[in-house]
Amino acid sequence: MIIVISLMVCGIILGYAFKERNLKFVQKLINYAIFLLLFLLGITVGANEDVMNNLDSIGLEALLITLAAIAGSVLCAWGVYHFFFMSTK
C-alpha cells in the first residue's frame, strides 16, 4: 500500500511541476493502461476454475450488482447535476 500511495504522490508532484506543458499524451497512456488491465483481469478470471465452474450463479449476482451500480451512478450524477450545475432562472 505504501508503494501505491508513494506512486500517487510522485505523480501529483510531477503533474504540478509540469502543469504548464502539454501533457495530452498522458490521457492516451492512461486509456491503454486501463485496457491492458481489463484484458489481464479477463485472462485471470478465465483461468480461475472456481469462477468458471460457478459462472451460472456468479453471473446472475454479478448482473444484479452491475445493474444496481449503474442505477446508483446515474442517480448520483443526476443529483449532482441538478443541485450544482443547473442554472436557476
Side-chain angles (χ1 to χ4, degrees), residues 6-85:
S6 300
L7 287 172
M8 171 106 40
V9 170
C10 288
I12 291 170
I13 292 169
L14 285 173
Y16 184 76
F18 295 115
K19 68 181 177 181
E20 301 298 324
R21 296 182 183 218
N22 187 4
L23 298 175
K24 293 188 184 225
F25 71 93
V26 174
Q27 185 65 38
K28 284 187 179 185
L29 290 176
I30 291 171
N31 284 338
Y32 291 136
I34 291 171
F35 294 150
L36 178 65
L37 287 172
L38 287 171
F39 178 72
L40 294 174
L41 178 65
I43 290 174
T44 304
V45 169
N48 189 332
E49 289 186 29
D50 291 335
V51 172
M52 296 309 290
N53 290 337
N54 297 314
L55 196 57
D56 54 343
S57 63
I58 294 172
L60 179 61
E61 291 175 16
L63 178 65
L64 293 175
I65 292 170
T66 301
L67 292 176
I70 291 171
S73 295
V74 168
L75 184 64
C76 286
W78 175 83
V80 167
Y81 176 76
H82 180 72
F83 290 114
F84 295 110
F85 296 106

